């Protein structure tokens, strides 16, 4: 799981290109809280794939898929609804950390899961209502191509030496 950080119209990648790798944020739920190296990270616990694995275990179905998770959620399956609620809680914590660290104007989400269950964004927004100024939480317009288009934009800007120029891509 990653976040694209844009500062003054430029993609911020950090010193070693690792800025925005929110999946590496240490999860606060660990058995041995005194050894940071042994704590799980967000990706291992709450990435889309980790969620599907958790749902597969709940449903005793190793072939469980994203489509099945979405269908079960839409059918008000209690186990899946609770799982999504836990996911929203942990994603709200990470989002809160991002707001505190970057004070962004807007936060874009790019996830097939959130694209198919838009209530997740509303849930996170509600969980963050204690923060005085929560920026808008917005779903990316094109979940399948957003990362590719962002990478292409960065490459085009660098190759053409147009780092300060705003390009608008249509596909």
């Amino acid at each position: 799981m990653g976040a694209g950080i844009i500062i003054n119209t430029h993609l911020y990648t950090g010193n070693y290109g690792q800025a925005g790798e929110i999946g590496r944020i240490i999860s606060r739920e660990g058995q041995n809280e005194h050894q940071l190296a042994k704590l799980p990270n967000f990706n291992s616990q709450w990435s889309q794939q980790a969620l599907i694995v958790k749902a597969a275990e709940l449903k005793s179905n190793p072939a469980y898929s994203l489509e099945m998770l979405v269908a079960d959620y839409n059918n008000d399956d209690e186990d899946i609804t609770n799982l999504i609620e836990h996911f929203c809680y942990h994603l709200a914590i990470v989002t809160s950390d991002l707001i505190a660290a970057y004070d962004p104007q807007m936060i874009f989400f790019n996830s097939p899961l959130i694209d198919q269950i838009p209530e997740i964004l509303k849930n996170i927004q509600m969980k963050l209502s204690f923060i005085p100024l929560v920026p808008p939480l917005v779903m990316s317009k094109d979940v399948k191509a957003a990362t590719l288009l962002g990478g292409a934009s960065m490459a085009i800007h660098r190759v053409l030496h147009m780092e300060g120029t705003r390009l608008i891509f249509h596909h």
Side-chain angles (χ1 to χ4, degrees), residues 11 26 30-31 46 48 53 55 64 70 81 94 98 130-131 146 169:
L11 180 65
I26 294 172
Q31 293 175 318
W46 297 106
Q48 181 174 296
V53 167
Y64 202 80
V70 171
T81 301
V94 170
L98 289 171
F130 70 94
I131 298 174
F169 294 95

Side-chain angles (χ1 to χ4, degrees), residues 11-23:
L11 180 65
Y12 176 73
T13 58
N15 197 36
Y16 296 104
Q18 301 298 307
E21 290 297 328
I22 61 174

Side-chain angles (χ1 to χ4, degrees), residues 92-123:
I93 290 171
V94 170
T95 303
S96 172
D97 290 347
L98 289 171
I99 292 168
Y102 297 102
D103 189 23
Q105 285 183 323
M106 189 175 288
I107 298 176
F108 283 89
F109 289 81
N110 184 44
S111 161
L113 173 67
I114 299 172
D115 188 45
Q116 293 183 43
I117 305 176
E119 295 87 5
I120 290 173
L121 282 185
K122 294 175 192 160
N123 188 317

